[in-house]
Each structure stands twice: as C-alpha cells, then as structure tokens.
Amino acid sequence: MLNEQIKQIAERLRELRDVLDLTVEDIAQKTGISPENVTKFESGESDIPMSFICDVAQACGVQPSEIISGEEPKMQSYFLTRKGKGVSMERTKAYKYLALAAGFKNAIFEPFEVTIEPNEKDITLNSHTGHEFNYLLEGRVLIQIGDKQMIMNQGDCIYFDSLRLHGMKALDNKKATFLAIISK
C-alpha cells in the first residue's frame, strides 16, 4: 500500500486536470504517457514518477512543487530553504525527494535533493522534458542513460537530455544522495 502523500498528489493531479477541463486523453497526449497510466497515477494506487509530475506541471502551467505540496509558490526575488527543510516527497521506499525551491514562483528549473535507498534490484527508467544535472553528494550509483551504464562516485556529476530514458540505483548496499536540477 502506498503512502498517504502519493494519494494526495494523485488527488491534486485529478483536480488540476478537472479545473483546466482536460480529459485523461489530453494529459496523456501532452505528457506522452498512455491514458491507462494517467488513470493509474491519478488513482493513488500506484507510484507516480517524478518525471510525470514534472511533465504534467509543464503542460498545465504550474510548478511541480504545487502538485507535490498543494501550495502555490509566492516568492519572486528569492527563496531560502534551510538544511533538511524542503518540501518532502517519498515516491517509494527507494526514492525520497526534497524540493529545494518549492516557494519560488515561476522557477525556470527545479532543484531536488534525492536519496536512493540501497534496496532497488533493477534500474527503473523514465524520461521527461528538459535537461537534468545530477551531482552525487554521497555514496555510489549506477546510472543508466539510454543504453549506456556508468558508475558515479561521490563528487561526480552528469548533465543530460532527460528525454532519453534514464535511471539510477544505489551501489554497495548503502544509500546515495544527489542534487538533481531539472529544467522545464
């Protein structure tokens, strides 16, 4: 059973679609996800990939943090996030996201601190619009972009076109933490 936060995000996704008078098929077409998967994500009974949240946000003219937290960003000149105080989202037991600029209105990219627990057996691949920059803060990961797999160590970074299928898993049976900056 998924956590309550996933169910709340699913509800916000449905409400956003309803407010904008969009059908499931409209969202599917705008995000490149099948209507069946859109319905599955909106049901709250399935993990919701961060890539889908980012794509829906872009398609609907809102920020991903609004979908995650349910609060509209208000700051326009700066937004300070204290250590460990970002907007938290636990997609699965393996991936935990901390949105680091959730209160900044009309941000042109989304920074996240992402923690990967070492219990992932396989890499789950996803894609989304924009580009992504990842800087490994702690641990080691196996990252896959397209068909290419690479090992990243603490201090390594990578920049890539996030339309390409990509994913990571923690290595050495230890958690890994990285800074992810995702453009719109």
Side-chain angles (χ1 to χ4, degrees):
M1 181 169 185
L2 291 176
N3 66 36
E4 188 60 32
Q5 187 180 27
I6 295 294
K7 291 180 181 180
Q8 291 172 0
I9 291 168
E11 185 176 324
R12 285 192 281 276
L13 286 168
R14 280 190 314 275
E15 288 172 357
L16 179 61
R17 184 173 53 75
D18 287 345
V19 164
L20 296 175
D21 200 27
L22 297 171
T23 65
V24 167
E25 290 74 19
D26 293 334
I27 294 294
Q29 192 251 342
K30 290 175 182 288
T31 61
I33 300 290
S34 72
E36 294 79 20
N37 279 338
V38 172
T39 300
K40 183 172 77 170
F41 298 150
E42 288 186 357
S43 75
E45 300 301 319
S46 169
D47 177 30
I48 305 168
M50 184 60 73
S51 58
F52 179 71
I53 292 170
C54 290
D55 286 347
V56 168
Q58 183 173 10
C60 295
V62 300
Q63 291 189 233
S65 59
E66 287 181 66
I67 296 171
I68 295 167
S69 70
E71 296 182 22
E72 184 177 346
K74 300 194 180 0
M75 301 305 291
Q76 293 181 331
S77 58
Y78 70 91
F79 183 76
L80 174 65
T81 302
R82 299 286 182 193
K83 182 178 180 177
K85 299 294 183 186
V87 174
S88 177
M89 178 185 165
E90 185 174 324
R91 279 189 26 225
T92 66
K93 292 197 184 304
Y95 279 87
K96 295 176 181 87
Y97 287 81
L98 194 62
L100 301 175
F104 194 88
K105 189 174 185 172
N106 300 320
I108 59 172
F109 60 85
E110 292 285 334
F112 296 95
E113 181 181 293
V114 183
T115 301
I116 307 172
E117 296 297 331
N119 57 1
E120 282 291 302
K121 292 183 176 89
D122 296 316
I123 295 177
T124 301
L125 299 176
N126 65 69
S127 68
H128 50 88
T129 58
H131 289 175
E132 188 165 331
F133 172 82
N134 295 331
Y135 178 78
L136 194 59
L137 300 167
E138 175 185 5
R140 287 180 0 114
V141 297
L142 176 64
I143 183 169
Q144 182 172 336
I145 301 172
D147 294 332
K148 179 78 172 168
Q149 290 191 337
M150 299 157 273
I151 292 179
M152 291 178 63
N153 298 299
Q154 183 177 346
D156 290 349
C157 60
I158 190 164
Y159 184 99
F160 56 94
D161 178 349
S162 46
L163 279 175
R164 297 182 56 87
L165 286 173
H166 60 280
M168 289 186 180
K169 74 174 185 175
L171 297 175
D172 307 324
N173 205 30
K174 295 180 182 174
K175 77 175 183 177
T177 304
F178 64 97
L179 173 66
I181 300 174
I182 302 171
S183 72
K184 292 186 175 185

